[in-house]
Amino acid sequence: LIQANYSGDWVILRFCRVLDTKLNLNTADKSTLEFGYSNPHDQPVHGCHPRDVGLACANACIEEEAVGKILPIGGDESWESTAGDFQNRVLQAVGIGALDKDVHRRANKKLRQTWGFETHIDTSESQRILKFQNTTFEEYLEELKN
């Protein structure tokens, strides 16, 4: 919850996956790595660059149209993927390479509760108001390589 204008006005920003730009799998703890594969391979996921999230937060504090709204914050369409493809592209960018889809948790397609809570989000209103989506997933992957 971000308080805007100190007058009791409010805006709620709901973040999707916000990815580290200094990803180092050599120093990541085991629970972090396990969490990444807790979603089924085909689970829809949506990510966003931390700079774009920061810009959304800053703009939410000054854009009057944001007041009183719950706004989902995620990257443009290039950030929409499945858990398996998303994570494999990140692993390839850092030089590890893709992993087999069997490393992901299996979901029963008939039981919703066996799937994760992530999905693609509609950011059209958020982007119109906050103008924050500046970094594509491809640009993020290039940044990881450097």
Side-chain angles (χ1 to χ4, degrees):
L1 181 65
I2 297 176
Q3 290 289 337
N5 303 327
Y6 306 106
S7 63
D9 293 338
W10 58 269
V11 59
I12 296 174
L13 304 180
R14 296 188 67 193
F15 304 134
C16 65
R17 288 182 176 204
V18 181
L19 300 179
D20 189 347
T21 58
K22 306 290 186 222
L23 185 64
N24 184 342
L25 296 178
N26 294 321
T27 59
D29 63 38
K30 182 180 175 190
S31 64
T32 300
L33 297 174
E34 287 174 347
F35 179 75
Y37 291 92
S38 64
N39 279 325
H41 185 271
D42 296 330
Q43 173 75 42
V45 295
H46 200 136
C48 195
H49 195 286
R51 274 191 307 267
D52 293 351
V53 171
L55 182 58
C57 291
N59 288 346
C61 293
I62 60 173
E63 289 296 335
E64 288 188 27
E65 192 178 351
V67 173
K69 294 188 182 292
I70 299 173
L71 299 171
I73 303 301
D76 66 17
E77 293 83 16
S78 70
W79 288 86
E80 295 177 0
S81 187
T82 62
D85 183 57
F86 196 94
Q87 284 151 213
N88 279 338
R89 291 181 68 195
V90 169
L91 290 175
Q92 288 169 331
V94 297
I96 293 175
L99 298 179
D100 189 273
K101 73 179 193 174
D102 291 334
V103 300
H104 289 268
R105 183 177 61 79
R106 293 216 183 355
N108 181 335
K109 294 190 186 283
K110 296 179 183 176
L111 297 174
R112 176 65 185 117
Q113 63 268 30
T114 65
W115 289 85
F117 295 105
E118 293 187 70
T119 192
H120 300 157
I121 57 176
D122 179 0
T123 60
S124 55
E125 180 183 33
S126 305
Q127 173 62 13
R128 181 182 61 75
I129 296 170
L130 303 177
K131 299 170 184 59
F132 65 95
Q133 295 172 336
N134 295 317
T135 311
T136 66
F137 188 50
E138 291 73 24
E139 290 169 333
Y140 168 75
L141 294 173
E142 284 300 315
E143 191 173 339
L144 280 181
K145 292 177 186 178
N146 297 325

